[in-house]
Amino acid sequence: METAQQKIERAKARREVGLSKVEPKLEGLPEQLPRNTLSLPASVLTAREIELTENYDVIQLLEILKSRKVSVEEVTRAFLRRAAVAQAATNCLVELMWDQAIERAKYLDSLPEPQGAFFGLPISTKEHHGMVGDNIITTASIIAWVDRKHGSNVLYDDLWEEGCVFYARTTQPQTIMHLETVSNLYGRTDNPYNRDLTPGGSSGGESALVAMRGSLLGIGGDIGGSIRCPSAFVGIYGFKPSVKRITVAGQTGFMAGRETIFSTPGPMTVDRKAMELLMRVALSRKPWRKDPAIVPMPWTPHKFTKPLKIAVQWWDGVVMPHPPITRALKEVVAACQKAGMQVVDWDCTNLDHKKSWDIISALYWPDGGREALDAMNNVGDDVLPLSKWIIEQPTVKDLTQAELWKLTLERDAYRTAYAKAWNATGSSDEDEIDVILCPASFGAATPHEQSKYWGYTSHWNLLDYPGAVFPVTTVDVSKDAKDQSYKPVNEQDQFIYDMYNPEVFAGAPVGLQLVGRRLQEEKVLAALDLVEQAMGRA
């Protein structure tokens, strides 16, 4: 019988097939990686590759591709090589699709006219979603699935039809349920800003790759923060729509058919405008005609007719954010007020965010984690600490049918109570708050193995509210001293408070989150446009 180690070696050997085809070979990589690896591409790539991967945002790159000022093949080769550098720096890839991507690029170059909204654009993807093509294997970073045959999904099929080039499949953690990215199959993915910190999870391979500009636009997935947390941790943009707005029906994961809580795909990108572009193009394909679970809502850009009204969540009543997060909130609030926006406080201390976590953590594992644990234990895939932590949350158990009904009723009652609180912010829906500005995490990227509080993202998954993450600042030792007078209010708060040392996080990106009501994706992204304009960004 094949051992777990033999399966691991076979998976890594399969990954090396694509990496070994990189041409020209990567030269100039240091034997000992620096703590911050963002500068590595400059010492390895050609000036032309640097130009193509650094000088354009998504829309600008699409413009030169569609005008044929540059060939798809040249752009594809540049991003393949840069992705290989990112892999060497952060361990972010499951597969570099060298042959498939170049074949696709040559085909697109052969067309008489550019076709599709994403013509020639390299797009990276989270591995467990699957992939377009033949002989697809998707491991989902589980040793038991090392040879699991798979296919594509609705979203990826649609992006393919719109002319993109798929070229890189990225890492996710064991169980796909960590805000960290580590597995026994592929090892740990590091944050390019500081290899001692995590790039987040579960879409941490995507976040590391995009932060290294080995990709300008990638697709992540989010069920508890897995797009937003990694995006905040590496200083990029990420968007979690409400579920059933876009779809990756066909992805691989545990508990297929579970309806207690759903994940959703979404964009992770270097620029704000690409988030709306991805949503608009995906919905232009009418995915509800292929996946009937999808809400049949075409993308309809939102236009504000009055000053934006923002509520600020300074903390969630459970865990106090670290000083850099509070400073970022204050800076954004000041900019919004200066721009004439109305800013009010969002006091959630009476909304019991701890209850939100108790509900959603149980919804994650209605079988008590049995399927995942059996899949790991049966092949010697040692259960990692963060897998154990999330499965052993206090409310997680193997639910009876009656207990499941009761839990979903609690979920729906909590959603109703929160909607009432939102309604109470105005005398009508015309003057209630438009969005909530809040942390995307309690702090900057955490040290490895320490991502043990999900409340600043998972809460919005429970409510099914869309959320957009955007970069604000970086940790500054001179500005972000620890508050020695603060007295933690509970055990979780104490753990997070004790974690903070400004020297540990120095220079790490700090991102925030804008959240809107369910299925108001257009409004959230329109609000983000206004907030970033107030911050002085185009």
Side-chain angles (χ1 to χ4, degrees), residues 4 7 50 53 56 59 91 135 200 215 232 236 267 273 288 292 307 343 370 424 430 434 463 535 537:
K7 291 177 184 290
I50 293 292
T53 56
Y56 304 94
I59 292 172
N91 189 35
N135 302 315
S215 173
I236 64 173
K273 294 177 183 177
W288 49 86
V343 180
R370 184 177 65 251
E430 294 299 316
D434 295 303
L463 297 174
M535 295 168 65
R537 300 173 179 174

Side-chain angles (χ1 to χ4, degrees), residues 166-179:
F166 290 125
Y167 69 109
R169 302 176 70 193
T170 54
T171 52
Q172 64 266 307
Q174 184 187 66
T175 72
I176 323 176
M177 287 294 290
H178 304 188
L179 294 185

